Amino acid sequence: MTYVSFPTGKAYDFTAIGRLCIDLNANEINRPMEETMTFTKYVGGSPANITIGMSRFGLKTAFIGKIADDQMGRFIADYLTRNHIDTSNVVTDKTGAVTGLAFTEIKSPTECSILMYRDNVADLRLTADEVQEELIAQSKVLLISGTALAQSPSREAVFQALNYAKKHGAVIVFDLDYRPYTWVSPEETAAYYNLAAEKCDIILGTREEFDMMERLEQNPEHSDNVTASKWFDYSARIVIIKHGKEGSIAYTKDGEGHKAKSFPAKVVKTFGAGDSYAAGFLYGVMQGWTLEKSMEFGSAAACIVISSHSCSDAMPTAEAVHDYIERCNRGEITAS
Ligand SMILES: Nc1ncnc2c1ncn2[C@@H]1O[C@H](COP(=O)(O)OP(=O)(O)OP(=O)(O)O)[C@@H](O)[C@H]1O
Ligand SMILES: O=C(O)C[C@@H](O)[C@H](O)C(=O)CO
């Protein structure tokens, strides 16, 4: 059964818009940030990580975003180029804005947190008139991520991109990617998230992210089914609700719920799970696989990333994900 049809005859399989920043991941793990002395630098930002994942799977990808006019910005642009991601719509800021930094604390495999430095960041300075219509017209998929809706002018840039995607028939994916520190109030957050979600074909988020959008009174039982049903009255064709290591569930417009369990993993840190899951799942759906197989592929991709030190750099190839699934099926990988 095909739930989403992707347009053909486009130059790009996958384009994302939003955050490009830097992850500084603790080298001395299993201790609090106060005791961490050194960090390794990686490209970061959830939509960037997903695009790197899609590129590693061999898809033709592009990114729409804004980088600081400094060494960090150039590091990001260079990394994207080396990963075969088209950067023709990655704009360099000229106002003195800086690159967002995410310092990660790895206290234990299950206690991870991120300390964000996001004042005056370049990624939120992208303007609507900087979004290239032609690039979106040439893309099978446009992925938006919630954090880019947090402030103007990036918010308007995302809505402009959504308009172009609708006009040119791109499949629109919304990764909720809710990061409280970039928002002013829960009311404002829910309002913009809901406005954007109405226009999207595939919506992916955790239970907590959907709770934030619903603000509880609409769904006091936190029912995944109730959450998903609402979006089928708009544009949605698939709604995925992720539950960490408990797995994930995808709802489709026909009312079906498709479940995926997670695989065992030797977890180093949990962040990056959602980004690699999204890349793996979307890759599978674009190959025409069943939802179950696509979700399984996303879950295995997530295991590879959470067993590694980075998010972006650890994004696996398709062969590595297939191999991981086979090794799990042979019982060769057990949980940490
Ligand atoms: N500890 C784990 N062990 C195995 N698989 C996991 C684990 N945590 C997450 N996953 C896999 O990754 C998928 C996405 O994880 P999760 O629900 O935590 O997303 P997320 O909260 O968006 O992730 P992130 O921490 O990157 O923001 C899950 O559906 C599951 O398949
Ligand atoms: O999304 C971010 O800004 C930081 C990420 O790169 C980070 O590593 C993470 O949280 C992945 O989900």
Side-chain angles (χ1 to χ4, degrees):
M1 173 99 190
T2 305
Y3 296 101
V4 182
S5 304
F6 294 90
T8 53
K10 307 270 185 181
Y12 297 96
D13 297 307
F14 181 89
T15 296
I17 182 168
R19 187 156 88 265
L20 292 164
C21 47
I22 300 282
D23 283 353
L24 291 157
N25 289 2
N27 290 334
E28 299 91 36
I29 62 171
N30 300 325
R31 67 184 69 177
M33 178 80 76
E34 291 83 343
E35 294 166 26
T36 305
M37 302 308 287
T38 66
F39 300 83
T40 298
K41 179 177 84 172
Y42 302 102
V43 167
S46 173
N49 294 340
I50 297 172
T51 309
I52 292 160
M54 294 303 256
S55 190
R56 295 263 168 93
F57 291 143
L59 299 191
K60 280 219 67 175
T61 57
F63 203 90
I64 304 171
K66 196 166 229 179
I67 49 173
D69 188 10
D70 62 15
Q71 294 90 329
M72 293 297 194
R74 289 189 283 280
F75 166 72
I76 293 169
D78 179 59
Y79 188 86
L80 297 185
T81 304
R82 282 192 284 112
N83 278 274
H84 314 291
I85 296 167
D86 184 303
T87 56
S88 55
N89 205 174
V90 173
V91 182
T92 301
D93 171 77
K94 294 293 173 200
T95 68
V98 297
T99 306
L101 303 178
F103 289 89
T104 62
E105 175 181 59
I106 309 175
K107 269 193 189 166
S108 76
T110 52
E111 286 178 291
C112 302
S113 66
I114 299 183
L115 181 61
M116 287 273 187
Y117 282 61
R118 285 193 57 74
D119 279 346
N120 191 27
V121 286
D123 62 88
L124 292 174
R125 295 276 177 105
L126 184 73
T127 58
D129 62 310
E130 288 169 332
V131 175
Q132 291 171 12
E133 179 172 1
E134 187 49 28
L135 175 59
I136 295 174
Q138 279 305 319
S139 303
K140 291 182 187 171
V141 172
L142 174 76
L143 177 132
I144 66 162
S145 103
T147 301
L149 296 168
Q151 280 174 28
S152 296
S154 158
R155 175 182 290 162
E156 289 77 12
V158 173
F159 280 102
Q160 181 69 282
L162 287 172
N163 289 339
Y164 290 149
K166 282 273 182 222
K167 178 173 163 191
H168 295 287
V171 171
I172 306 174
V173 180
F174 189 5
D175 179 14
L176 299 184
D177 176 37
Y178 171 53
R179 313 273 172 165
Y181 36 75
T182 37
W183 288 90
V184 174
S185 72
E187 291 76 13
E188 183 193 49
T189 316
Y192 283 104
Y193 264 87
N194 280 289
L195 266 181
E198 287 175 8
K199 300 178 191 305
C200 299
D201 300 293
I202 301 176
I203 307 174
L204 294 129
T206 62
R207 181 64 257 162
E208 297 73 26
E209 287 171 332
F210 282 106
D211 286 345
M212 172 282 294
M213 285 169 77
E214 291 167 350
R215 303 185 52 227
L216 297 193
E217 62 276 15
Q218 297 167 31
N219 188 2
E221 309 292 327
H222 308 271
S223 151
D224 289 347
N225 199 357
V226 169
T227 292
S229 313
K230 168 180 173 175
W231 299 109
F232 298 126
D233 293 337
Y234 297 93
S235 304
R237 279 164 290 162
I238 304 173
V239 177
I240 297 207
I241 301 158
K242 299 175 289 179
H243 290 273
K245 93 167 172 212
E246 305 313 315
S248 53
I249 179 154
Y251 286 93
T252 44
K253 204 168 179 157
D254 54 13
E256 290 282 314
H258 308 252
K259 280 202 169 146
K261 61 172 177 48
S262 63
F263 288 98
K266 300 256 180 276
V267 183
V268 173
K269 43 83 182 137
T270 52
F271 48 84
D275 301 340
S276 38
Y277 176 92
F281 171 74
L282 293 170
Y283 173 75
V285 172
M286 291 187 79
Q287 304 310 298
W289 297 348
T290 62
L291 289 188
E292 284 79 3
K293 183 173 174 190
S294 306
M295 294 162 82
E296 178 177 273
F297 195 79
S299 306
C303 286
I304 293 174
V305 167
I306 62 181
S307 315
S308 315
H309 192 251
S310 76
C311 297
S312 54
D313 219 36
M315 287 288 172
T317 61
E319 292 66 34
V321 180
H322 287 303
D323 180 61
Y324 194 91
I325 294 170
E326 279 166 27
R327 284 195 291 140
C328 286
N329 290 341
R330 291 198 297 267
E332 289 170 18
I333 300 179
T334 49
S336 44

